[in-house]
Amino acid sequence: MAWIWKKKSVIVTSLIVVVSLFLVVINYSEKPYFLLQPVFGQCFSRNWMFSHPPHKAFKPHRGYLSVPDQEPLKLHCEVCSIVSSSGQMLGREAGAEIDQSSCIWRMNNAPTRGFERDVGRRTDLRVVSHTSVPLLIQKPQHFFGQGNETVYVVWGPLRNMRQDGKGIVYNMLREAVENYPHARIYVTTEERMNYCDTVFKKETGKDRSEGYRKVPYHYYEAGSRDECAEYLLHESAPYGGHRFITEKAVFANWAKTHPIKFFSPEWQLL
């Protein structure tokens, strides 16, 4: 009988150890969450035993660093509304639907006041071009004043964003944070900018970071009208024009269904 009780004791002890290890792994490791989530559903999280409601981790986005502390951006969004600055927004009356999103993104200095019915009221994040930073600086209290919880993500070339005192735009942002300590301003890292340039090139076949290269309309007619000027002239002609830009859009559509390959530069359709 003694060996039976000893065997039961070993089994019970083993079960306790296994359960304890399971709980420790769930509580301190991210990986089991992703493995177990399909089984337990969306409501399951690694802290399910210890917190209500489930904790939502704010994943650090290391391609975006704060000014001037260099801390990675931490942002959690379930449903995002990326609001265009286009005039097409007028009259859409999409404001109420936009405001229901957990995160609302806007571009540059696009306003909401006076346009709430069409574009919504809140702004959780603004993606700002280096060329638009001066527009924010003109109204610093409006954009960076206390009570404004908007996150600003600014992108631009290294020459303007360098942090050695020679980056004109970065200097503006640093001064804004000094004057408004509550402002949440982040800049895009050089590595992230390079990644975005790579994605753009894969989608379009063009290197966004290269300068404009002026070439003749025909390679055998040096000194003739510039190729881009010729394209724009024909595209905007009221009649009788050769719609080069529209024509290339047709080729791009054909390439999605037919075995057409572009060379020099190579253009991989995704």
Side-chain angles (χ1 to χ4, degrees):
M1 294 294 293
W3 68 271
I4 295 177
W5 286 107
K6 185 176 181 180
K7 186 176 181 181
K8 288 183 177 180
S9 177
V10 170
I11 294 174
V12 171
T13 302
S14 300
L15 285 173
I16 292 174
V17 171
V18 170
V19 171
S20 299
L21 287 173
F22 178 72
L23 292 177
V24 169
V25 168
I26 287 179
N27 194 40
Y28 292 100
S29 172
E30 291 287 351
K31 190 172 181 180
Y33 167 70
F34 295 105
L35 294 176
L36 294 170
Q37 188 176 30
V39 178
F40 289 91
Q42 294 295 324
C43 62
F44 179 83
S45 75
R46 66 188 182 96
N47 294 317
W48 65 281
M49 287 288 291
F50 310 101
S51 64
H52 299 282
H55 174 69
K56 296 177 181 177
F58 279 60
K59 178 183 177 182
H61 302 280
R62 303 190 183 281
Y64 312 94
L65 302 178
S66 64
V67 178
D69 301 329
Q70 301 295 290
E71 292 294 326
L73 172 63
K74 294 181 179 180
L75 187 68
H76 177 84
C77 293
E78 293 179 347
V79 177
C80 298
S81 285
I82 302 177
V83 185
S84 168
S85 299
S86 170
Q88 297 286 347
M89 295 297 299
L90 292 175
R92 299 292 180 177
E93 298 187 359
E97 184 176 1
I98 290 172
D99 284 335
Q100 291 178 7
S101 304
S102 55
C103 289
I104 301 175
W105 298 22
R106 302 188 193 277
M107 312 299 168
N108 298 318
N109 64 326
T112 57
R113 185 175 300 174
F115 304 94
E116 293 88 347
R117 177 177 293 182
D118 292 326
V119 304
R121 298 176 180 274
R122 281 187 13 250
T123 303
D124 298 296
L125 187 145
R126 282 187 185 271
V127 179
V128 182
S129 165
H130 62 109
T131 58
S132 294
V133 169
L135 299 177
L136 306 184
I137 300 300
Q138 290 177 8
K139 299 180 179 179
Q141 181 60 39
H142 173 74
F143 288 107
F144 307 126
Q146 191 169 2
N148 188 339
E149 298 297 326
T150 300
V151 173
Y152 294 85
V153 173
V154 183
W155 64 273
L158 180 61
R159 66 179 183 274
N160 290 336
M161 307 303 292
R162 56 192 298 175
Q163 302 175 26
D164 58 359
K166 298 180 180 179
I168 297 176
V169 174
Y170 187 85
N171 292 344
M172 292 180 183
L173 299 175
R174 189 182 183 103
E175 184 178 354
V177 174
E178 291 175 356
N179 295 332
Y180 300 91
H182 296 282
R184 303 172 64 191
I185 302 176
Y186 295 79
V187 293
T188 307
T189 64
E190 186 177 3
E191 292 76 14
R192 189 65 181 174
M193 285 293 298
N194 291 337
Y195 168 76
C196 292
D197 286 345
T198 301
V199 172
F200 185 89
K201 186 172 183 178
K202 286 182 178 179
E203 292 287 347
T204 66
K206 299 178 181 179
D207 191 337
R208 193 194 63 81
S209 61
E210 286 183 355
Y212 167 62
R213 190 165 69 99
K214 189 174 182 179
V215 297
Y217 171 54
H218 288 141
Y219 69 85
Y220 51 84
E221 292 180 345
S224 63
R225 185 183 284 114
D226 172 53
E227 180 184 53
C228 286
E230 189 78 16
Y231 276 28
L232 294 174
L233 176 66
H234 280 272
E235 196 71 20
S236 59
Y239 57 88
H242 187 156
R243 314 297 187 193
F244 294 103
I245 298 173
T246 302
E247 182 181 79
K248 286 174 172 52
V250 173
F251 293 157
N253 285 331
W254 285 351
K256 294 177 181 178
T257 54
H258 302 286
I260 300 175
K261 188 172 179 62
F262 295 91
F263 295 88
S264 293
E266 186 176 13
W267 183 1
Q268 296 290 343
L269 291 174
L270 300 180

